[in-house]
Amino acid sequence: MHIPLYFAATHVDELTLRDQTVVVIDVLRAATTIAVALSNGAKEIIPVNTVERAVKISGSLFGDHILRGGERNGRLIEGFNLGNSPDEYTTEKVRGKAIIYSTTNGSGAIDKAKYGRNVLICSFVNMASVLRFLRTHKGDVTILCSGNNGRFSMEDSVCAGMLISRLVESEQDLDLSDAAQASLALFRSFGRSIPKMIRSSEHGQFLIQIGHEKDLDLCASVDCMDILPVLSGNVIRARKEADLIPSGNPVVRIE
Ligand code: MLT
């Protein structure tokens, strides 16, 4: 199993990810919020790059079956129903709804992976579900950290390192890229206390400053949700492993 890794979504071209199994990581907070929304019964999440596109896509069904969620600079976007705190995505608000979702880094990173074979959304909260798929899948896995405005982010890189460390425990035949080895080393140095690592990260500090400190505890909770969010045809849904495409099989997409 070969494991290329990118420390920020801007470090790779979307065509490089074509037909790959891609794990997209955004610990603070997009991937965590997506896991919570789907666990609480959201029908689907549609990641979009721009606020304008979110408004356009939600169209006349907005507010009824469709909600707008996300953030810019960590804050609620004007005209949106939901910000990007995981605890806003309650069952009462999201059950049965489609959510048009736009964030500073995470939604763009997911969009980058849209030509992938299997695109899994991962954070600390649902890592066990992602690992279950990877252990049965056996093919190469590209890890795409969302990063922070094109830069390295500690929390995504340590999360990637934890994923790799768990794969190292169970797989014999791992071929780690230099970036994958670096992120494993980061996990071994900074992963002893995930809450502490997250609080001291740049984005963790920013979220504390703007009043979202309460989000950090959930984002730091490892394996607390059994959910596998998968992007297919520009839509993220909670998937069962049987729905995913084994490596080596031709990709047939039914939109
Ligand atoms: C992002 O996509 O950049 C994040 O989820 C930012 C945040 O809401 O903290």
Side-chain angles (χ1 to χ4, degrees), residues 26 28-31 71 74-75 84-85 101 103-107 146-148 203 206-207:
D26 189 344
L28 295 177
R29 296 167 288 176
E71 56 69 43
R75 297 177 174 91
N84 205 27
S85 289
Y101 185 67
T103 68
T104 310
N105 301 287
S107 58
S146 297
N148 192 355
H203 197 60
F206 174 70
L207 289 172

